[in-house]
Amino acid sequence: MRLSNGEVLLRWPLDQHILTQGWHYNSGRSHNGIDLRTQIGNTAVRPVYAAEDGTVSATQLWDGHTTDERSMQSYGNYVDIRHADYKQQSLVTRYAHLFKFIVAKGEKVKEGQLIGYSGATGNVFGAHLHFEVLLGGKRTNPLTWLDDDFTTASSSVYTYGPGEHAVERPAEDKPAASTLQTICASNLTNAQAMAVFSLAIQLQLVAMRLYWAEFSDAEMAHQNIEVGPITQGDAKAVLDKLSAVGAKGTAQAA
Ligand SMILES: [Zn+2]
């Protein structure tokens, strides 16, 4: 978002803000971006959000095997978003190693909009989100465009040097609310739960591990389910499916 003082404050592209690598690797070698932890429990497939309003300026599908650092394929599946210029220079954010992206080149996106899910494609040792900010085509330390609401995975992770600092948010500028939703339904019969499960497979929500179920009674006849965080379109489809099978779901902002 553009702050009232004209500066840019980007939104964190993930819900959790844990740096595993900074602008320089722990070895001191240049890294040109930051790595954010995506692992929570058993899954590293997490929603990735646009850091600011903009237009998707590039996408790349990973070829599935090239990891050569000199090749763009080392980014794996990635998305670039071009934002409004900053001081007459182009401003682009890049989201790399995605499991999948759900936007297309030329598409307009809003800050906080779901653009894809984190993964481990390209040149990676483990799942994480690699995030870059390019000003005038040159990569800059992303932390100078974000607020300081983050932690580091260890004390050796580089953050920023003297003279660089995270953006200060004027008190009058409020962050944008998430538009994602989580749908919950409890005490479903097995048939009702299976109907939603089939839809979740169709929408690829199961593949992205966004569908959760647990038995709500000892006879294992009823289930509580939770689907999300998902887009409003997918949330509506899940709610419609629930009502079609005579069940009721509730939507919560994710
Ligand atoms: Zn990285």
Side-chain angles (χ1 to χ4, degrees):
M1 69 189 292
R2 302 298 152 132
L3 301 176
S4 50
N5 59 10
E7 291 303 304
V8 178
L9 174 61
L10 297 181
R11 181 201 193 284
W12 285 91
L14 287 176
D15 285 329
Q16 67 173 6
H17 320 150
I18 304 169
L19 257 71
T20 54
Q21 295 289 346
W23 177 242
H24 299 286
Y25 285 110
N26 296 350
S27 62
R29 197 161 61 90
S30 166
H31 173 215
N32 300 323
I34 55 173
D35 291 345
L36 293 165
R37 176 175 291 168
T38 53
Q39 196 76 34
I40 303 177
N42 289 326
T43 180
V45 179
R46 304 300 309 166
V48 174
Y49 310 99
E52 204 199 13
D53 292 0
T55 303
V56 176
S57 52
T59 62
Q60 170 180 271
L61 275 174
W62 187 36
D63 64 15
H65 55 87
T66 306
T67 56
D68 186 333
E69 265 185 51
R70 291 160 300 182
S71 159
M72 289 297 279
Q73 282 289 327
S74 66
Y75 284 117
N77 297 324
Y78 81 82
V79 170
D80 277 358
I81 298 175
R82 180 161 179 180
H83 310 286
D85 288 357
Y86 175 73
K87 296 187 176 169
Q88 280 99 52
Q89 291 192 283
S90 64
L91 182 66
V92 170
T93 50
R94 176 169 294 162
Y95 314 75
H97 309 313
L98 300 176
F99 171 76
K100 78 177 265 186
F101 50 80
I102 60 166
V103 289
K105 191 175 172 187
E107 192 174 329
K108 284 201 173 10
V109 294
K110 300 300 273 180
E111 178 172 325
Q113 183 178 329
L114 180 72
I115 57 166
Y117 292 87
S118 62
T121 56
N123 181 26
V124 292
F125 287 107
H128 66 270
L129 179 71
H130 174 91
F131 179 64
E132 291 185 1
V133 181
L134 298 95
L135 180 65
K138 287 209 174 74
R139 292 178 287 194
T140 62
N141 185 347
L143 287 184
T144 62
W145 303 90
L146 294 157
D147 65 27
D148 58 6
D149 174 25
F150 67 90
T151 55
T152 56
S154 82
S155 58
S156 52
V157 173
Y158 181 88
T159 55
Y160 37 75
E164 299 174 328
H165 199 275
V167 180
E168 276 177 48
R169 181 198 298 268
E172 64 271 26
D173 294 312
K174 294 253 167 57
S178 168
T179 57
L180 296 183
Q181 294 185 325
T182 296
I183 307 299
C184 302
S186 47
N187 226 15
L188 301 181
T189 64
N190 204 43
Q192 289 170 330
M194 284 312 292
V196 180
F197 184 66
S198 307
L199 173 70
I201 289 173
Q202 261 178 48
L203 298 174
Q204 286 193 290
L205 304 176
V206 175
M208 294 187 279
R209 294 177 233 182
L210 299 172
Y211 178 97
W212 304 88
E214 60 174 16
F215 290 105
S216 56
D217 56 29
E219 289 78 41
M220 299 192 3
H222 292 86
Q223 296 180 42
N224 299 333
I225 65 164
E226 203 177 297
V227 193
I230 52 179
T231 60
Q232 289 181 342
D234 284 353
K236 186 179 181 306
V238 170
L239 285 172
D240 286 352
K241 175 60 75 180
L242 279 164
S243 79
V245 295
K248 229 182 124 183
T250 54
Q252 295 162 357

